[in-house]
Amino acid sequence: MKINKTNKKEIEGSRIVLVRKGLELDAYIKDPAEKKYISERLAGEKNVAILNRLDHVVLFRSLESEDIPKTTRLENARKAGFEMHPMITDHELRSVTVINGGVEQGECVAFTEGMALTNYQFLKYVSAEHSKKHLLQEMVLQDEGLSEDHVEKLENLVNAVYLTRDLVNEPLSFLTAVQLSAEIEKMGKASGFSVEVFNEKKIESLKMGGVLAVNKGSVDPPTFSILTWKPENAVNDRPIVLVGKGVVFDTGGLSLKLTLDSMDYMKCDMGGAAAVAGAFYAVAKNELPVWVVGLIPATDNRPDGNAYVPGDVITMYDGTTVEVLNTDAEGRMLLADALSYAKQYDPELVIELSTLTGSAHIAIDKFGIVGMGNAAREVMENLKASGEQSSERVAEFPFWDEYKEQLKSDIADLKNIGGKYAGAITAGKFLEHFTDYPYIHLDIAGPSFNKVLFNYRGKGGSGVGVRILYHFLLDRSH
């Protein structure tokens, strides 16, 4: 999706004018009859008015009044972009200009963001005769307060979400752990961050027991990707480390999942890895002055003849022994090794994203991210504020030490699952064991993949995690 800016006062071609109810329309429409029609329509319950000309259309869209909280108005503007996209599609428009007709600059940007994200499609495996490809290729913003740089950064962020969705939507028949690392390398070359990939022999030499245990049932080797963005003008002396779960497909292993409504969409179990890669693309492309390191352990989880089994005791990268009681709790095994590995960077903060638990999904559905951690209160509040800004909201769960009790094992240092209750929290406490730095765990199991269309977040991979991380790092870079 191409997003441009124009300084022209007189706009030709199809356009969308964003207004508030009651504002004068003289600058955008001259004909008295047309102006009367639009004013009357927008003054009522309708929030859209259309003028269908011979060679273009002019659409007017009213947004909420300013007495509504700003974050709500921004999200409603994104949803307005989603709602108007079918009209753009119906008129077969390839380009449309979005005109700020009296709304806040942020709302104009959010509207464009929502429509651009709605325009995403994953058609790689759809034959031409069955494809219904959107024709919209370009959006042009007319807003005097916006700079070219601001618009370019919006375009880069939208494309970062596109790339993240592509990764999540790819099936295992293409996206093995090795291919995931290769795709991340491509993203690095396109945007400017560096990537180092550990192969199976390197992972074995490092004794990453969690990664190797999950990989035992697979015919494909695991990978461990290290992403680095360290500009000369970085504002931080110690890196912020982002860790993403990269289970490219999860059968549950010998603790086999149900096929229907469980295993059938488990290509999305690398949503955390995809979000980290997408965030790096946006950060590097937009040249944020912040030092960031990404760690992505990757494998599939299968029940082959040599797969790890319930009852096994695994020695992890840091020497911790873990009694495996459920091979479907595999993500935390990979992530534990990555979190231990992160210690060598002496990080300022580690944020880990993963499609980790059904418990998180059950708790808050697809409407937000379950978050918890031991980082300073200010850090968590800043992350939550970034979530409100991007509408990738964080529902913070308690992180009390009492939850550790459920992870005690009779024969090893830890069990890899807790008890019947608080599964999302005990998973987070398991991971905390492998940290010695400020840590935040984000469980994106609910919002990472939509089985049905969900506003501008689409159907399939949503790309959740990219925008909250980007806005958080943008705020830290000032």
Side-chain angles (χ1 to χ4, degrees), residues 395-442:
E396 187 177 0
F397 279 21
F399 212 46
W400 303 321
D401 281 344
E402 284 83 351
Y403 292 107
K404 291 180 181 178
E405 296 297 316
Q406 296 187 36
L407 298 169
K408 289 183 177 179
S409 167
D410 293 331
I411 64 169
D413 298 328
L414 291 174
K415 298 185 296 187
N416 79 326
I417 58 171
K420 180 179 179 181
Y421 303 108
I425 301 173
T426 55
K429 295 303 285 187
F430 175 90
L431 294 174
E432 185 192 33
H433 172 88
F434 299 90
T435 71
D436 65 358
Y437 41 70
Y439 167 62
I440 292 177
H441 163 57
L442 298 179

Coordinates of all heavy atoms in Angstrom, one line a residue, residues 395-442:
A395 N -4.5 -5.9 28.9 CA -5.2 -6.2 30.2 C -4.2 -6.8 31.2 O -3.7 -7.9 31.0 CB -6.3 -7.1 29.9
E396 N -3.8 -6.0 32.2 CA -2.7 -6.5 33.1 C -3.3 -7.5 34.1 O -4.2 -7.2 34.8 CB -2.1 -5.3 33.8 CG -0.9 -5.7 34.6 CD -0.2 -4.5 35.3 OE1 -0.6 -3.4 35.1 OE2 0.8 -4.8 36.0
F397 N -2.6 -8.6 34.2 CA -2.9 -9.6 35.2 C -2.0 -9.5 36.3 O -0.8 -9.0 36.2 CB -2.8 -11.0 34.5 CG -4.0 -11.4 33.7 CD1 -4.9 -10.5 33.2 CD2 -4.3 -12.8 33.5 CE1 -6.0 -10.9 32.5 CE2 -5.4 -13.2 32.7 CZ -6.2 -12.2 32.2
P398 N -2.4 -10.0 37.5 CA -1.4 -10.0 38.7 C -0.3 -11.0 38.4 O -0.4 -11.9 37.6 CB -2.3 -10.5 39.8 CG -3.4 -11.3 39.2 CD -3.7 -10.6 37.9
F399 N 0.9 -10.7 39.0 CA 2.1 -11.5 38.8 C 2.7 -11.9 40.2 O 3.9 -11.8 40.4 CB 3.1 -10.6 38.0 CG 4.0 -11.4 37.1 CD1 3.5 -12.4 36.3 CD2 5.3 -11.2 37.1 CE1 4.3 -13.2 35.5 CE2 6.2 -11.9 36.2 CZ 5.6 -12.9 35.4
W400 N 1.8 -12.2 41.1 CA 2.2 -12.5 42.5 C 3.0 -13.8 42.6 O 2.8 -14.7 41.8 CB 0.9 -12.6 43.3 CG 0.0 -11.4 43.3 CD1 0.4 -10.1 43.3 CD2 -1.4 -11.4 43.2 NE1 -0.6 -9.3 43.2 CE2 -1.8 -10.0 43.2 CE3 -2.4 -12.4 43.2 CZ2 -3.1 -9.6 43.2 CZ3 -3.7 -12.0 43.2 CH2 -4.1 -10.6 43.1
D401 N 3.9 -13.8 43.5 CA 4.8 -15.0 43.6 C 4.1 -16.2 44.1 O 4.6 -17.4 43.9 CB 5.9 -14.7 44.6 CG 7.0 -13.8 44.0 OD1 7.1 -13.7 42.7 OD2 7.8 -13.2 44.7
E402 N 2.9 -16.1 44.7 CA 2.1 -17.3 45.1 C 1.9 -18.2 43.9 O 1.7 -19.4 44.1 CB 0.8 -16.8 45.7 CG 0.9 -16.3 47.1 CD 1.3 -14.8 47.2 OE1 1.6 -14.3 46.1 OE2 1.2 -14.2 48.3
Y403 N 1.8 -17.7 42.7 CA 1.6 -18.6 41.6 C 2.7 -19.5 41.3 O 2.5 -20.5 40.6 CB 1.2 -17.7 40.3 CG -0.1 -17.0 40.4 CD1 -0.1 -15.6 40.6 CD2 -1.3 -17.6 40.3 CE1 -1.3 -14.9 40.7 CE2 -2.5 -16.9 40.4 CZ -2.5 -15.6 40.6 OH -3.7 -14.9 40.7
K404 N 3.9 -19.2 41.8 CA 5.0 -20.1 41.6 C 4.8 -21.5 42.2 O 5.4 -22.5 41.8 CB 6.3 -19.5 42.2 CG 6.8 -18.3 41.5 CD 8.1 -17.8 42.3 CE 8.7 -16.6 41.6 NZ 9.9 -16.1 42.4
E405 N 4.0 -21.5 43.3 CA 3.8 -22.8 44.0 C 3.2 -23.9 43.1 O 3.5 -25.0 43.3 CB 2.8 -22.5 45.2 CG 3.3 -21.6 46.2 CD 4.5 -22.1 46.9 OE1 4.6 -23.3 47.3 OE2 5.5 -21.3 47.1
Q406 N 2.4 -23.5 42.1 CA 1.9 -24.5 41.2 C 2.9 -25.1 40.3 O 2.6 -26.1 39.6 CB 0.8 -23.8 40.3 CG -0.4 -23.3 41.1 CD -1.5 -22.8 40.1 OE1 -1.7 -23.4 39.1 NE2 -2.2 -21.8 40.5
L407 N 4.1 -24.5 40.2 CA 5.1 -25.0 39.3 C 6.2 -25.8 39.9 O 7.1 -26.3 39.3 CB 5.8 -23.8 38.6 CG 4.9 -22.9 37.8 CD1 5.6 -21.6 37.4 CD2 4.4 -23.6 36.5
K408 N 6.0 -26.1 41.2 CA 7.0 -27.0 41.9 C 6.9 -28.4 41.5 O 5.8 -29.0 41.3 CB 6.8 -26.9 43.4 CG 7.2 -25.5 44.0 CD 7.1 -25.5 45.5 CE 7.6 -24.2 46.1 NZ 7.5 -24.1 47.5
S409 N 8.0 -29.0 41.2 CA 8.1 -30.4 40.8 C 8.7 -31.3 41.9 O 9.6 -30.8 42.6 CB 8.9 -30.5 39.5 OG 9.2 -31.9 39.2
D410 N 8.3 -32.6 41.9 CA 8.9 -33.5 42.9 C 10.3 -34.0 42.4 O 11.1 -34.5 43.2 CB 8.0 -34.7 43.2 CG 6.7 -34.3 43.9 OD1 6.8 -33.3 44.7 OD2 5.7 -34.9 43.7
I411 N 10.5 -34.0 41.1 CA 11.7 -34.6 40.5 C 12.6 -33.7 39.7 O 13.6 -34.1 39.2 CB 11.3 -35.8 39.6 CG1 10.5 -35.4 38.4 CG2 10.5 -36.9 40.4 CD1 10.4 -36.4 37.3
A412 N 12.2 -32.4 39.6 CA 13.0 -31.4 38.9 C 12.8 -30.1 39.5 O 12.1 -29.9 40.5 CB 12.5 -31.4 37.4
D413 N 13.5 -29.1 38.9 CA 13.4 -27.7 39.5 C 12.0 -27.1 39.2 O 11.5 -26.4 40.1 CB 14.5 -26.8 38.8 CG 15.9 -27.3 39.1 OD1 16.1 -27.8 40.2 OD2 16.8 -27.1 38.2
L414 N 11.4 -27.4 38.1 CA 10.1 -26.8 37.7 C 9.3 -27.9 37.0 O 9.8 -28.8 36.4 CB 10.3 -25.6 36.8 CG 10.9 -24.3 37.3 CD1 11.1 -23.4 36.2 CD2 10.0 -23.7 38.4
K415 N 8.0 -27.7 37.0 CA 7.1 -28.3 36.0 C 6.8 -27.3 34.9 O 6.8 -26.1 35.1 CB 5.8 -28.7 36.7 CG 5.9 -29.7 37.8 CD 4.5 -30.2 38.4 CE 3.8 -29.0 39.0 NZ 2.5 -29.5 39.6
N416 N 6.5 -27.8 33.7 CA 6.2 -26.9 32.6 C 4.7 -26.4 32.6 O 4.4 -25.6 31.7 CB 6.7 -27.4 31.3 CG 5.7 -28.4 30.7 OD1 5.0 -29.2 31.4 ND2 5.6 -28.4 29.3
I417 N 3.9 -26.9 33.5 CA 2.5 -26.4 33.6 C 2.2 -26.3 35.1 O 2.8 -26.9 35.9 CB 1.5 -27.2 32.9 CG1 1.5 -28.7 33.4 CG2 1.7 -27.2 31.4 CD1 0.4 -29.5 32.9
G418 N 1.2 -25.4 35.3 CA 0.7 -25.3 36.7 C -0.5 -26.1 36.9 O -0.7 -27.1 36.3
G419 N -1.4 -25.6 37.7 CA -2.6 -26.4 38.0 C -3.8 -26.0 37.2 O -3.6 -25.4 36.1
K420 N -5.0 -26.2 37.7 CA -6.2 -26.0 36.9 C -6.5 -24.5 36.6 O -7.1 -24.2 35.6 CB -7.4 -26.7 37.6 CG -8.7 -26.5 36.9 CD -9.8 -27.2 37.7 CE -11.2 -27.1 37.1 NZ -12.3 -27.7 37.9
Y421 N -6.1 -23.7 37.6 CA -6.5 -22.3 37.5 C -5.3 -21.4 37.2 O -4.2 -21.7 37.3 CB -7.1 -21.9 38.9 CG -8.2 -22.7 39.3 CD1 -8.1 -23.6 40.4 CD2 -9.5 -22.6 38.7 CE1 -9.2 -24.4 40.8 CE2 -10.6 -23.4 39.1 CZ -10.4 -24.3 40.1 OH -11.5 -25.1 40.5
A422 N -5.7 -20.2 36.7 CA -4.7 -19.1 36.4 C -3.6 -19.6 35.4 O -2.4 -19.2 35.6 CB -4.1 -18.6 37.7
G423 N -4.0 -20.3 34.4 CA -3.0 -20.8 33.5 C -2.2 -19.8 32.8 O -1.0 -20.0 32.5
A424 N -2.8 -18.7 32.4 CA -2.0 -17.6 31.8 C -0.9 -17.0 32.7 O 0.2 -16.7 32.2 CB -3.0 -16.5 31.3
I425 N -1.3 -16.9 34.0 CA -0.3 -16.3 34.9 C 0.8 -17.3 35.3 O 2.0 -17.0 35.3 CB -1.0 -15.9 36.2 CG1 -2.1 -14.9 35.8 CG2 -0.1 -15.3 37.2 CD1 -3.0 -14.5 37.0
T426 N 0.4 -18.6 35.5 CA 1.5 -19.6 35.8 C 2.5 -19.8 34.7 O 3.7 -20.0 34.9 CB 0.9 -20.9 36.2 OG1 0.0 -21.4 35.2 CG2 0.1 -20.8 37.5
A427 N 2.0 -19.6 33.4 CA 2.8 -19.7 32.3 C 3.8 -18.5 32.3 O 5.0 -18.7 32.1 CB 2.0 -19.6 31.0
G428 N 3.3 -17.3 32.7 CA 4.2 -16.2 32.8 C 5.2 -16.3 33.9 O 6.4 -15.9 33.8
K429 N 4.8 -16.9 35.0 CA 5.7 -17.1 36.2 C 6.8 -18.1 35.8 O 7.9 -18.0 36.3 CB 4.9 -17.5 37.4 CG 4.0 -16.5 38.0 CD 4.7 -15.2 38.3 CE 5.5 -15.2 39.5 NZ 6.0 -13.9 39.9
F430 N 6.4 -19.1 35.0 CA 7.4 -20.1 34.6 C 8.5 -19.4 33.8 O 9.7 -19.6 34.0 CB 6.7 -21.2 33.7 CG 7.7 -22.1 33.0 CD1 8.0 -23.3 33.7 CD2 8.2 -21.9 31.8 CE1 8.9 -24.2 33.1 CE2 9.1 -22.8 31.2 CZ 9.5 -24.0 31.8
L431 N 8.1 -18.5 32.9 CA 9.1 -17.8 32.1 C 9.9 -16.8 32.9 O 11.1 -16.6 32.7 CB 8.3 -17.0 31.0 CG 7.7 -17.9 29.9 CD1 6.9 -17.0 28.9 CD2 8.7 -18.7 29.1
E432 N 9.3 -16.2 33.9 CA 10.0 -15.3 34.8 C 11.2 -15.9 35.4 O 12.2 -15.3 35.7 CB 9.1 -14.7 35.8 CG 9.7 -13.6 36.7 CD 8.9 -13.2 37.9 OE1 8.2 -14.1 38.4 OE2 9.0 -12.0 38.3
H433 N 11.1 -17.2 35.7 CA 12.2 -18.0 36.4 C 13.5 -17.8 35.6 O 14.6 -17.9 36.2 CB 11.8 -19.5 36.5 CG 12.9 -20.3 36.9 ND1 13.2 -20.6 38.3 CD2 13.9 -21.0 36.3 CE1 14.3 -21.3 38.4 NE2 14.7 -21.6 37.2
F434 N 13.4 -17.6 34.3 CA 14.6 -17.6 33.4 C 15.1 -16.2 33.2 O 15.9 -16.0 32.3 CB 14.3 -18.3 32.1 CG 13.9 -19.8 32.3 CD1 12.6 -20.1 32.5 CD2 14.8 -20.8 32.4 CE1 12.2 -21.4 32.7 CE2 14.5 -22.1 32.6 CZ 13.2 -22.4 32.8
T435 N 14.6 -15.2 33.9 CA 15.0 -13.8 33.8 C 15.7 -13.3 35.0 O 15.6 -13.9 36.1 CB 13.8 -12.9 33.5 OG1 13.0 -12.8 34.7 CG2 12.9 -13.5 32.4
D436 N 16.6 -12.3 34.8 CA 17.2 -11.6 36.0 C 17.2 -10.1 35.7 O 18.1 -9.4 36.1 CB 18.6 -12.1 36.3 CG 19.6 -11.9 35.2 OD1 19.2 -11.3 34.1 OD2 20.8 -12.2 35.4
Y437 N 16.2 -9.6 34.9 CA 16.1 -8.3 34.4 C 14.7 -7.8 34.4 O 13.8 -8.7 34.6 CB 16.7 -8.2 33.0 CG 16.3 -9.4 32.1 CD1 15.0 -9.5 31.7 CD2 17.2 -10.4 31.8 CE1 14.6 -10.6 30.9 CE2 16.9 -11.5 31.0 CZ 15.6 -11.6 30.6 OH 15.2 -12.7 29.9
P438 N 14.4 -6.6 34.2 CA 13.0 -6.1 34.1 C 12.3 -6.8 32.9 O 12.8 -6.8 31.8 CB 13.1 -4.6 33.9 CG 14.4 -4.2 34.5 CD 15.3 -5.4 34.2
Y439 N 11.2 -7.4 33.2 CA 10.5 -8.3 32.2 C 9.1 -8.1 32.1 O 8.4 -7.9 33.1 CB 10.8 -9.8 32.7 CG 10.0 -10.8 32.0 CD1 10.1 -11.0 30.6 CD2 9.2 -11.7 32.7 CE1 9.4 -12.0 29.9 CE2 8.4 -12.6 32.0 CZ 8.6 -12.8 30.7 OH 7.8 -13.8 30.0
I440 N 8.5 -8.1 30.9 CA 7.1 -8.0 30.6 C 6.7 -9.1 29.6 O 7.4 -9.3 28.6 CB 6.7 -6.6 30.0 CG1 6.9 -5.5 31.1 CG2 5.2 -6.7 29.5 CD1 6.6 -4.1 30.5
H441 N 5.7 -9.9 30.0 CA 5.2 -11.0 29.2 C 3.9 -10.5 28.6 O 2.9 -10.1 29.3 CB 5.0 -12.2 30.1 CG 4.1 -13.3 29.5 ND1 4.4 -13.9 28.3 CD2 3.0 -13.9 30.0 CE1 3.5 -14.8 28.0 NE2 2.6 -14.8 29.0
L442 N 3.7 -10.6 27.2 CA 2.5 -10.3 26.5 C 2.0 -11.6 25.8 O 2.6 -12.1 25.0 CB 2.8 -9.2 25.5 CG 3.2 -7.9 26.0 CD1 3.5 -6.9 24.9 CD2 2.3 -7.3 27.0

